[in-house]
Amino acid sequence: MTDSKYFTTTKKGEIFELKAELNSDKKEKKKEAVKKVIASMTVGKDVSALFPDVVNCMQTDNLELKKLVYLYLMNYAKSQPDMAIMAVNTFVKDCEDPNPLIRALAVRTMGCIRVDKITEYLCEPLRKCLKDEDPYVRKTAAVCVAKLHDINAQLVEDQGFLDTLKDLISDSNPMVVANAVAALSEIAESHPSSNLLDLNPQSINKLLTALNECTEWGQIFILDCLANYTPKDDREAQSICERVTPRLSHANSAVVLSAVKVLMKFMEMLSKDLDYYGTLLKKLAPPLVTLLSAEPELQYVALRNINLIVQKRPEILKHEMKVFFVKYNDPIYVKLEKLDIMIRLASQANIAQVLAELKEYATEVDVDFVRKAVRAIGRCAIKVEQSAERCVSTLLDLIQTKVNYVVQEAIVVIKDIFRKYPNKYESVIATLCENLDSLDEPEARAAMIWIVGEYAERIDNADELLESFLEGFHDESTQVQLQLLTAIVKLFLKKPTETQELVQQVLSLATQDSDNPDLRDRGYIYWRLLSTDPVAAKEVVLAEKPLISEETDLIEPTLLDELICYIGTLASVYHKPPSAFVEGGRGVVHKSLPPRTASSESTESPETAPAGAPSGEQPDVIPTQGDLLGDLLNLDLGPPVGGPPLATSSVQMGAVDLLGGGLDSLMGDEPEGIGGPNFVAPPAAAVPPNLGTSMGSGLSDLFDLTSGVGTLSGSYVAPKAVWLPAMKAKGLEISGTFTRQVGSISMDLQLTNKALQVMTDFAIQFNRNSFGLAPAAPLQVHAPLSPNQTVEISLPLNTVGSVMKMEPLNNLQVAVKNNIDVFYFSTLYPLHILFVEDGKMDRQMFLATWKDIPNENEAQFQIRDCPLNAEAVSSRLQSSNIFTVAKRNVEGQDMLYQSLKLTNGIWVLAELRIQPGNPSFTDLELSLKCRAPEVSQHVYQAYETILKN
Amino acid sequence: MIGGLFIYNHKGEVLISRVYRDDIGRNAVDAFRVNVIHARQQVRSPVTNIARTSFFHVKRSNIWLAAVTKQNVNAAMVFEFLYKMCDVMAAYFGKISEENIKNNFVLIYELLDEILDFGYPQNSETGALKTFITQQGIKSQHQTKEEQSQITSQVTGQIGWRREGIKYRRNELFLDVLESVNLLMSPQGQVLSAHVSGRVVMKSYLSGMPECKFGMNDKIVIEKQGKGTADETSKSGKQSIAIDDCTFHQCVRLSKFDSERSISFIPPDGEFELMRYRTTKDIILPFRVIPLVREVGRTKLEVKVVIKSNFKPSLLAQKIEVRIPTPLNTSGVQESQISAEIELLPTNDKKKWARPPISMNFEVPFAPSGLKVRYLKVFEPKLNYSDHDVIKWVRYIGRSGIYETRC
């Protein structure tokens, strides 16, 4: 007898017939009818009309029929709540059945009936089942608590089920323990603050014991729960790791991955000098490799996770390159992931092998895969300098194949190679130019145009080449248009005599005939630059470019740390935090790796607990291309978004990713500076030092800190300086300064209209900055600003804006809008506007803190030619909220001990050495100690400014 | 956790649909059909996110199994569960086909109710499931109280994979060492990568709750034992093999393996996979393929392949197959045992065809890794049979995995 016949009844009047059969006296017929109902339900037919008839079949001792009826109930109870009440009695009765299988079935089904009216009736049976003598019933009841909590959380708390569930963690049966852990973990997730899963060494011990005895699934629940625990010290972490490592030999890949998660997380706490640390690292590699012989879907999950692990701890798999070689029959998703990992593991030691493989892959059929392989060859060139030459020749071979997408991809990567190794491989340009006509993808066209522009002086017919692109200018994509504009300007600056016409043409195409604002803006910038100051134009446009990064597509370190906590889960597959794809409150708890805490050291010194891995180990991430100007132009007046950096379209200027997010936590505004986590040298913030020069003579040095005389009411106020010259802002000139008076910071602005039209609708916005400075009120310009009129405005600021570390630290990027356009400028604010009024530290505290901050954080400066005595220095500094805590006289020298606090709670301690009465020694010696040593330089500048004015 | 589980036929018609969580609506069934099964392009990932709902799928012949969730579930667990689900179904009704699924849909619902509770996988060992989920459906009144509690204690117990009271007249066990050799060789005959992935499959017909101990020529164990007598070490050292990594069936006590490297367990009744392992060192490659490919002009390809065997002449290899890939539009293949000539029709000169590697299939009666079973001891203290009474059989089979030579 088969069941497939139930799927075939589709005739009319079916419901009516079924109704009759359901009410038949014959058991067999009844069962047949219920099966038909379930079959209809599966294919999506509405059989809810049969509810009372099906429920009538519930009271039976035939387990199969009972299960079918329950299945029906789970599906339709919600749409028929009143009818569902009819089932309550049977449930209550079944929960007392002598057969444990029936008791469990009842309690399991009960929880799936999501009808409020019913849930109340179910509390008593559930309570009994939680204490049932049979473990099968208990393990089912444990899950039922989670079900009930999903329907009515309050009810579960009121009924005390959570406590019963907690007791089940000590149950004698391992499967009951595992299900209780699973249920509690889920409930705890929706109450992040509650201490529901009260994990302590005792309960951890219980879980570890159950781990050895329960089913494979139970082991996963327990390991995933363990991963949320933070051991109190390295010894506890090690002992847990020791008991978890045997799981690495489990046949179930999920058990292995969850064990890897626990180990990766707790490893953070182990000292690298420990023998055990090395042992553990060695133990991790083989199981990870074994995962690659699992079914392809699991391989995919494993590879996505290995991608994270390789970024976090490259040493684990550095010798395992071969296992990531692509097999001909791998599914495409496995191939692409393997390729990704191959690039990450490429090093000088294995580069020959890797290149040979990549070359092989580049002849495959799948277009995506081939492209990625070609791109990978370029990455190798950039990553391993010794291989660059071989990579370039491989790429040239590939270009010779004339396969269209291979050629285009190769040109895109060769452009990157040129940027990394300037003036080294220009001999290949001729070959590249031969393929100009076959390029039809914007990225490849843009790359080729960039190459022509960059090396215009060596390409004899550069003007012809670029001119050929110009013909269809308006049909090109923005990326190509922008690149073409820049390339022709470069060409003009290099060969001004022959190309004047060409540059005129492109400028007018970009500014007058285009309606793309980005293109127009850039066109105008070039135009003005070229017409006002060609020398400056040359400096800006042909500025030396910062290095491009060796590693690309690296996951931002704080996100990486979070994802390590999610190994094995969907988050690790998507490479996104759960909040990005999970709705509602669930799973949005931010997880982070445990800090390293050695049991032998006192846990009070926060220096030993950096939030991430030691910075030395992280590869320096230089932000990918995307230029300052490009990003400034992208900066909208909407809220700042952490969007991706501008694509490779514009690489001719200083590269810094203004909007890259994620550094917030590094600069977190702690209410208390002491004891809180402090700055960690952020690996992602290694911004090229020549940022300033890339801005040309433009903006950064406009604000002259040392000029002029300030008023001494409140903090020192520098005279206004021109921040935005009228020339650059269609006639709007902005000058300004910063003040701090009785606790409030403001930006004093002077707006002058040097244009011929009236200006209205002013608005201002700041980009994210190091200390979260933001306008506290909108920019109020009451009347329209007529030509030649000037208005003075004081804009109150607060420090609760978004935080992103800037370089230099006190850099502030501002956008101002009026009815004409949006203008951007950047300025440096003096740090003393951030010194708060309650920055005076208690003497004892000062002494303790001074000792506590490690010596490497101490910075020494000299303040030259300052003929003031101790009193004068002290009072002058105090008016800017630098407080003298103590004063000492040592061998005729006055020592001032001072403290100050920044708005984000960072304390800076200072020792100032003054030699009074010695006219030949007017230099002051300043020692600064701070947990965030980056600020010292700027604090010193503030001292200079205050003392010299 | 898993919010729902759907099974579709190749047309995308839903055969089984079981929803476990309230956040998964009926439209999820259609979303998967439209976006994955009926998708115009080939699926590029086994995990698909559609409107904040994640779908995990595996395919068995032309049947799609999809697990769906809205939470950050353990992805590895979901796939392991889907495979397990396939194993369980196969154990009940054989091949997973539309016909079989329709014929057993009540059973499948019953299984889904048992092995997945609120989306949490529960005991899914077929041995245990078969005691209380039967095709006919058990009548509760026929079970005694002891039988019932025996079932529940087995399902939840420490030894969930074996029930008590098994009796055989003849205690017998079979061990199969099944290995697949994987090779990737360059056209010049250089080994790019090679590894053996092996499985030890045991079929046991043993009475009671037998305690078993399995031993093989694992280098680490041999060296540990041979510490005292250096002579023995050097002798046995040759025969021992270095195992890169191994994983075990859940019956094996992992902590014991971790500390003593001994493999001890109480086996499930019948057939199961005791362990999987991987080796990369000193692999005996049974065959060498030496390709010589010449493209003669634009329309002709000459392929010469030499195969050399690399084992004792007394052993016989079987099921030997050499696959020489040719372009789709190949015609006029001249084939003989010694050489093959292939002619090509003109192809587009800009788009080269990718030349896939030459692959081989074979089966040899030895373990290419060199693994040897040293012993499998059986102790059953409660019943009166000893290790000597058990009839044991060992068999070695080496098969080709992905055995490719690029050309």
Side-chain angles (χ1 to χ4, degrees):
Chain A
M1 186 198 78
T2 66
D3 294 341
S4 60
K5 61 174 186 279
Y6 303 116
F7 282 91
T8 54
T9 53
T10 47
K11 52 185 186 287
K12 279 185 180 174
E14 188 192 350
I15 298 278
F16 190 74
E17 250 173 55
L18 280 173
K19 211 175 175 89
E21 283 174 43
L22 284 170
N23 291 314
S24 157
D25 299 332
K26 289 189 188 128
K27 265 192 186 167
E28 268 314 300
K29 207 156 192 184
K30 258 191 192 175
K31 201 160 96 185
E32 296 288 289
V34 178
K35 281 190 183 181
K36 279 185 200 162
V37 172
I38 303 285
S40 310
M41 195 174 86
T42 299
V43 295
K45 282 185 213 155
D46 184 15
V47 282
S48 58
L50 295 168
F51 200 92
D53 309 285
V54 178
V55 172
N56 272 339
C57 303
M58 196 173 166
Q59 297 224 17
T60 170
D61 50 5
N62 184 313
L63 203 56
E64 193 188 0
L65 180 56
K66 200 184 262 297
K67 282 181 180 172
L68 288 173
V69 175
Y70 278 2
L71 190 63
Y72 178 89
L73 262 177
M74 285 186 267
N75 257 289
Y76 286 115
K78 218 177 165 188
S79 57
Q80 310 260 337
D82 295 325
M83 294 286 210
I85 302 253
M86 290 162 56
V88 167
N89 255 334
T90 319
F91 279 129
V92 176
K93 223 174 96 194
D94 280 356
C95 280
E96 312 228 328
D97 197 278
N99 186 343
L101 291 172
I102 292 193
R103 293 202 296 275
L105 178 65
V107 81
R108 190 164 66 214
T109 313
M110 242 163 57
C112 300
I113 295 180
R114 305 178 58 90
V115 176
D116 274 341
K117 280 183 198 162
I118 293 192
T119 39
E120 285 167 39
Y121 294 103
L122 302 179
C123 290
E124 276 323 297
L126 176 58
R127 197 185 315 281
K128 264 185 217 150
C129 288
L130 279 168
K131 303 223 160 112
D132 200 284
E133 51 169 19
D134 194 294
Y136 183 73
V137 180
R138 290 201 301 275
K139 72 112 184 159
T140 313
V143 176
C144 189
V145 176
K147 293 179 187 171
L148 201 59
H149 186 271
D150 195 37
I151 305 168
N152 190 341
Q154 195 57 45
L155 184 72
V156 169
E157 272 172 54
D158 295 346
Q159 294 280 332
F161 285 143
L162 294 182
D163 294 324
T164 325
L165 202 53
K166 276 192 213 164
D167 293 342
L168 287 185
I169 289 201
S170 317
D171 199 279
S172 59
N173 184 294
M175 195 156 169
V176 178
V177 178
N179 276 4
V181 166
L184 275 174
S185 302
E186 179 169 342
I187 295 171
E189 229 172 67
S190 51
H191 294 281
S193 53
S194 77
N195 199 17
L196 204 55
L197 261 170
D198 176 29
L199 294 176
N200 54 49
Q202 287 75 39
S203 59
I204 290 293
N205 197 29
K206 276 179 203 153
L207 292 184
L208 286 168
T209 312
L211 185 62
N212 287 325
E213 293 164 351
C214 61
T215 66
E216 46 195 327
W217 314 115
Q219 296 185 19
I220 299 169
F221 306 154
I222 292 180
L223 287 168
D224 285 351
C225 173
L226 273 179
N228 291 329
Y229 175 65
T230 308
K232 66 178 191 311
D233 55 36
D234 55 347
R235 257 181 239 144
E236 194 189 0
Q238 179 175 342
S239 89
I240 295 175
C241 287
E242 279 166 357
R243 291 176 71 179
V244 166
T245 36
R247 297 300 119 196
L248 295 176
S249 305
H250 202 287
N252 187 314
S253 309
V255 174
V256 176
L257 267 179
S258 289
V260 168
K261 165 165 57 192
V262 175
L263 297 174
M264 282 293 286
K265 213 179 154 186
F266 290 5
M267 231 169 149
E268 284 295 308
M269 299 182 66
L270 301 178
S271 154
K272 285 204 161 149
D273 315 328
L274 230 55
D275 287 346
Y276 181 71
Y277 180 87
T279 320
L280 197 53
L281 272 186
K282 274 196 210 108
K283 276 192 174 171
L284 276 169
L288 288 173
V289 173
T290 297
L291 291 176
L292 298 183
S293 40
E295 289 83 347
E297 292 88 359
L298 269 176
Q299 277 187 50
Y300 174 71
V301 174
L303 286 165
R304 294 293 282 172
N305 278 285
I306 289 172
N307 200 327
L308 298 174
I309 292 169
V310 165
Q311 289 182 61
K312 181 70 192 166
R313 296 193 182 275
E315 63 271 34
I316 294 178
L317 287 166
K318 67 175 173 209
H319 299 304
E320 302 289 349
M321 170 63 89
K322 278 188 175 180
V323 301
F324 297 102
F325 284 0
V326 169
K327 296 189 184 114
Y328 190 75
N329 290 322
D330 280 337
I332 183 67
Y333 51 81
V334 168
K335 283 186 178 175
L336 292 172
E337 291 306 316
K338 280 187 174 171
L339 197 49
D340 233 12
I341 294 169
M342 279 176 68
I343 305 169
R344 294 207 194 285
L345 290 179
S347 68
Q348 205 182 329
N350 56 28
I351 195 77
Q353 260 185 327
V354 174
L355 263 182
E357 281 294 307
L358 293 175
K359 203 173 170 182
E360 196 72 34
Y361 303 161
T363 63
E364 278 229 36
V365 207
D366 189 284
V367 178
D368 282 351
F369 181 61
V370 170
R371 282 172 177 275
K372 200 163 185 173
V374 174
R375 208 163 268 231
I377 296 173
R379 295 273 158 75
C380 288
I382 290 164
K383 201 171 168 186
V384 184
E385 190 166 355
Q386 291 83 353
S387 77
E389 195 151 351
R390 231 171 330 156
C391 294
V392 172
S393 77
T394 308
L395 288 169
L396 282 179
D397 287 351
L398 290 171
I399 288 176
Q400 299 303 350
T401 64
K402 304 279 180 195
V403 178
N404 190 280
Y405 54 84
V406 173
V407 173
Q408 311 213 36
E409 205 64 44
I411 286 182
V412 172
V413 293
I414 286 180
K415 178 207 69 189
D416 287 343
I417 296 175
F418 280 174
R419 283 218 43 202
K420 169 83 184 199
Y421 310 108
N423 308 321
K424 215 169 164 191
Y425 298 108
E426 283 72 40
S427 53
V428 309
I429 292 177
T431 320
L432 301 184
C433 290
E434 286 166 20
N435 292 286
L436 218 59
D437 300 332
S438 64
L439 308 179
D440 52 14
E441 290 163 19
E443 200 180 354
R445 288 175 83 83
M448 191 65 221
I449 293 169
W450 181 86
I451 292 171
V452 174
E454 187 66 17
Y455 295 98
E457 68 272 32
R458 308 191 195 192
I459 305 171
D460 293 336
N461 59 343
D463 47 344
E464 283 170 38
L465 292 175
L466 293 175
E467 199 171 357
S468 69
F469 281 101
L470 213 53
E471 281 159 22
F473 188 79
H474 290 298
D475 302 327
E476 300 282 2
S477 72
T478 310
Q479 190 182 10
V480 179
Q481 290 175 332
L482 286 169
Q483 204 53 261
L484 197 52
L485 171 62
T486 304
I488 291 177
V489 171
K490 279 188 199 164
L491 174 69
F492 171 72
L493 289 167
K494 287 174 180 174
K495 299 178 177 173
T497 45
E498 311 125 60
T499 55
Q500 204 150 5
E501 205 175 310
L502 194 60
V503 81
Q504 287 287 356
Q505 203 182 338
V506 77
L507 286 174
S508 79
L509 278 171
T511 53
Q512 285 159 18
D513 303 343
S514 168
D515 41 14
N516 180 329
D518 286 349
L519 186 62
R520 256 195 344 244
D521 285 358
R522 193 183 288 188
Y524 279 124
I525 287 174
Y526 285 142
W527 202 326
R528 298 241 161 88
L529 264 175
L530 291 173
S531 54
T532 44
D533 189 353
V535 181
K538 205 162 187 172
E539 258 176 65
V540 171
V541 178
L542 302 179
E544 200 175 307
K545 282 162 285 297
L547 281 183
I548 61 166
S549 65
E550 291 187 358
E551 300 280 347
T552 35
D553 310 327
L554 277 186
I555 295 177
E556 190 272 315
T558 43
L559 176 62
L560 180 63
D561 283 357
E562 188 179 359
L563 290 179
I564 290 288
C565 303
Y566 287 114
I567 284 179
T569 68
L570 261 182
S572 73
V573 174
Y574 294 146
H575 288 183
K576 283 179 190 159
S579 51
F581 59 91
V582 174
E583 277 169 7
R586 269 203 184 130
V588 291
V589 197
H590 182 84
K591 290 194 186 180
S592 59
L593 289 175
R596 177 162 302 161
T597 326
S599 54
S600 50
E601 293 170 51
S602 87
T603 46
E604 283 157 40
S605 55
E607 291 77 30
T608 57
S615 52
E617 186 192 324
Q618 290 288 343
D620 279 4
V621 186
I622 306 169
T624 40
Q625 306 98 320
D627 70 23
L628 179 61
L629 202 60
D631 271 356
L632 271 170
L633 290 165
N634 266 356
L635 184 78
D636 213 297
L637 277 186
V641 280
L646 203 69
T648 42
S649 63
S650 38
V651 279
Q652 77 284 12
M653 298 190 80
V656 56
D657 174 9
L658 288 181
L659 299 175
L663 290 162
D664 307 28
S665 58
L666 292 168
M667 297 288 290
D669 36 354
E670 298 290 324
E672 272 302 315
I674 290 172
N678 50 14
F679 292 132
V680 176
V687 176
N690 54 349
L691 167 74
T693 58
S694 70
M695 289 292 292
S697 56
L699 309 172
S700 48
D701 51 355
L702 281 173
F703 191 3
D704 190 359
L705 281 170
T706 50
S707 65
V709 188
T711 47
L712 269 176
S713 61
S715 292
Y716 163 73
V717 180
K720 288 200 178 76
V722 175
W723 284 343
L724 182 70
M727 193 184 80
K728 294 188 174 185
K730 299 188 180 170
L732 175 67
E733 186 183 79
I734 300 178
S735 50
T737 186
F738 293 90
T739 62
R740 182 184 184 95
Q741 267 170 326
V742 277
S744 52
I745 310 169
S746 52
M747 187 191 223
D748 290 348
L749 291 167
Q750 180 177 317
L751 308 178
T752 309
N753 183 354
K754 295 195 173 171
L756 295 173
Q757 64 184 114
V758 174
M759 291 178 180
T760 55
D761 303 323
F762 285 93
I764 192 164
Q765 177 144 2
F766 295 177
N767 193 4
R768 287 196 277 173
N769 53 69
S770 309
F771 293 92
L773 278 176
L779 187 64
Q780 301 269 345
V781 181
H782 294 292
L785 200 57
S786 353
N788 274 326
Q789 195 190 346
T790 295
V791 64
E792 300 248 3
I793 301 151
S794 180
L795 179 73
L797 306 182
N798 59 30
T799 54
V800 296
S802 294
V803 174
M804 179 176 74
K805 195 178 171 194
M806 300 298 293
E807 190 67 50
L809 206 60
N810 57 341
N811 190 10
L812 180 67
Q813 296 172 334
V814 183
V816 170
K817 190 197 88 136
N818 62 11
N819 58 328
I820 299 169
D821 210 333
V822 182
F823 310 102
Y824 304 89
F825 62 90
S826 72
T827 176
L828 301 172
Y829 48 89
L831 212 63
H832 69 256
I833 62 163
L834 300 169
F835 298 170
V836 296
E837 275 66 26
D838 61 343
K840 184 160 185 175
M841 206 182 242
D842 169 74
R843 270 179 113 140
Q844 295 300 322
M845 190 72 158
F846 185 93
L847 270 173
T849 313
W850 186 272
K851 273 189 206 148
D852 202 32
I853 298 177
N855 282 334
E856 58 265 31
N857 281 14
E858 184 168 347
Q860 309 251 358
F861 304 96
Q862 284 211 328
I863 302 169
R864 295 190 184 280
D865 304 310
C866 180
L868 296 172
N869 65 15
E871 262 73 36
V873 166
S874 188
S875 74
R876 196 175 275 207
L877 290 173
Q878 180 140 2
S879 63
S880 289
N881 293 339
I882 300 174
F883 300 95
T884 304
V885 177
K887 188 182 151 188
R888 225 160 34 120
N889 192 294
V890 186
E891 296 161 359
Q893 300 180 339
D894 278 331
M895 308 285 280
L896 292 181
Y897 295 92
Q898 300 178 311
S899 74
L900 63 97
K901 191 167 106 177
L902 299 179
T903 46
N904 61 356
I906 294 173
W907 286 93
V908 181
L909 309 186
E911 185 195 58
L912 194 60
R913 187 192 297 257
I914 304 166
Q915 306 194 334
N918 187 346
S920 59
F921 279 99
T922 52
D923 293 356
L924 310 186
E925 276 182 51
L926 177 67
S927 296
L928 293 175
K929 257 189 162 187
C930 177
R931 287 182 203 278
E934 299 98 302
V935 304
S936 300
Q937 175 68 32
H938 301 279
V939 172
Y940 155 67
Q941 280 172 9
Y943 265 90
E944 277 245 344
T945 315
I946 297 163
L947 291 176
K948 295 208 173 154
N949 290 293
Chain B
M1 280 307 115
I2 298 173
L5 207 137
F6 310 128
I7 301 179
Y8 303 83
N9 65 10
H10 66 287
K11 285 186 247 166
E13 291 164 353
V14 62
L15 303 176
I16 297 285
S17 119
R18 175 75 159 91
V19 172
Y20 294 93
R21 298 271 172 149
D22 206 33
D23 53 3
I24 302 300
R26 183 85 204 176
N27 53 357
V29 184
D30 303 322
F32 182 76
R33 175 180 34 242
V34 172
N35 290 292
V36 180
I37 302 182
H38 291 170
R40 236 173 267 141
Q41 285 175 326
Q42 194 201 343
V43 189
R44 303 292 262 191
S45 157
V47 186
T48 326
N49 193 312
I50 307 163
R52 290 202 156 209
T53 310
S54 300
F55 294 83
F56 300 75
H57 75 265
V58 300
K59 239 185 133 179
R60 288 287 181 271
S61 61
N62 55 8
I63 296 295
W64 299 76
L65 280 94
V68 45
T69 183
K70 284 208 163 183
Q71 298 173 28
N72 182 30
V73 295
N74 188 320
M77 186 188 79
V78 176
F79 280 123
E80 283 283 3
F81 177 79
L82 287 174
Y83 303 141
K84 193 63 158 207
M85 178 74 206
C86 293
D87 291 349
V88 171
M89 288 196 291
Y92 269 97
F93 52 75
K95 193 173 174 280
I96 295 174
S97 62
E98 181 171 355
E99 194 62 26
N100 279 344
I101 288 172
K102 280 188 169 175
N103 283 341
N104 293 284
F105 86 97
V106 174
L107 169 77
I108 295 173
Y109 276 122
E110 213 176 325
L111 285 170
L112 282 177
D113 198 39
E114 183 60 42
I115 59 179
L116 209 52
D117 191 4
F118 201 39
Y120 289 107
Q122 304 291 307
N123 194 337
S124 45
E125 286 297 310
T126 358
L129 289 171
K130 279 190 168 171
T131 59
F132 68 107
I133 295 182
T134 59
Q135 299 247 36
Q136 284 75 39
I138 39 161
K139 312 275 184 289
S140 51
Q141 67 265 35
H142 296 330
Q143 285 175 320
T144 63
K145 204 166 175 353
E146 288 78 61
E147 276 170 346
Q148 287 163 2
S149 73
Q150 204 188 336
I151 290 170
T152 58
S153 75
Q154 192 202 335
V155 175
T156 61
Q158 295 184 18
I159 305 164
W161 53 87
R162 188 181 182 93
R163 63 190 166 92
E164 300 225 22
I166 297 171
K167 277 212 174 68
Y168 287 103
R169 265 214 317 210
R170 208 159 94 122
N171 287 301
E172 199 169 10
L173 65 85
F174 300 85
L175 272 179
D176 280 349
V177 176
L178 307 171
E179 294 195 340
S180 65
V181 213
N182 298 279
L183 170 72
L184 183 63
M185 199 175 247
S186 75
Q188 292 75 34
Q190 187 191 3
V191 176
L192 296 174
S193 73
H195 75 273
V196 167
S197 58
R199 307 186 296 145
V200 178
V201 175
M202 183 171 169
K203 220 183 267 182
S204 74
Y205 303 103
L206 301 169
S207 311
M209 294 298 249
E211 183 70 48
C212 297
K213 206 171 168 187
F214 174 70
M216 53 185 176
N217 56 340
D218 175 2
K219 200 170 187 174
I220 297 175
V221 177
I222 304 259
E223 274 171 8
K224 229 193 231 169
Q225 287 169 345
K227 242 176 211 165
T229 49
D231 197 35
E232 212 179 347
T233 321
S234 64
K235 220 167 78 188
S236 60
K238 260 184 198 163
Q239 289 166 4
S240 66
I241 60 159
I243 292 176
D244 287 26
D245 189 36
C246 46
T247 60
F248 297 99
H249 184 267
Q250 58 168 321
C251 66
V252 176
R253 297 185 185 89
L254 293 180
S255 42
K256 208 152 182 191
F257 178 76
D258 195 53
S259 56
E260 304 163 24
R261 222 174 157 85
S262 76
I263 303 165
S264 61
F265 56 97
I266 297 174
D269 196 38
E271 188 173 319
F272 73 104
E273 189 181 282
L274 175 65
M275 73 178 278
R276 280 180 185 232
Y277 57 92
R278 182 167 45 85
T279 73
T280 47
K281 284 196 195 75
D282 303 324
I283 295 169
I284 308 156
L285 295 169
F287 292 98
R288 248 196 88 180
V289 177
I290 305 159
L292 252 166
V293 181
R294 258 180 355 123
E295 279 182 37
V296 190
R298 278 166 56 185
T299 57
K300 200 169 167 188
L301 187 71
E302 235 178 63
V303 185
K304 191 175 153 195
V305 181
V306 180
I307 313 281
K308 282 186 175 168
S309 72
N310 187 24
F311 48 86
K312 272 187 280 180
S314 58
L315 297 174
L316 283 178
Q318 294 183 66
K319 300 177 190 168
I320 295 179
E321 217 176 276
V322 181
R323 289 172 175 271
I324 303 169
T326 60
L328 278 178
N329 45 5
T330 304
S331 72
V333 179
Q334 298 168 18
E335 225 181 315
S336 68
Q337 269 194 305
I338 306 154
S339 66
E341 250 177 74
I342 294 151
E343 265 180 60
L344 297 178
L345 289 174
T347 52
N348 185 345
D349 62 345
K350 276 208 172 167
K351 177 85 174 78
K352 268 192 170 183
W353 70 289
R355 207 190 283 153
I358 293 176
S359 61
M360 247 196 111
N361 287 334
F362 54 79
E363 197 177 292
V364 288
F366 60 87
S369 70
L371 182 130
K372 290 262 162 24
V373 175
R374 286 171 61 220
Y375 56 80
L376 198 143
K377 292 177 196 153
V378 181
F379 311 92
E380 169 51 357
K382 284 187 198 148
L383 299 175
N384 56 347
Y385 72 91
S386 73
D387 186 40
H388 297 293
D389 304 328
V390 181
I391 306 159
K392 301 169 188 169
W393 305 85
V394 183
R395 181 164 64 155
Y396 298 91
I397 299 173
R399 291 198 183 103
S400 51
I402 296 167
Y403 204 82
E404 294 176 338
T405 306
R406 287 182 181 156
C407 56

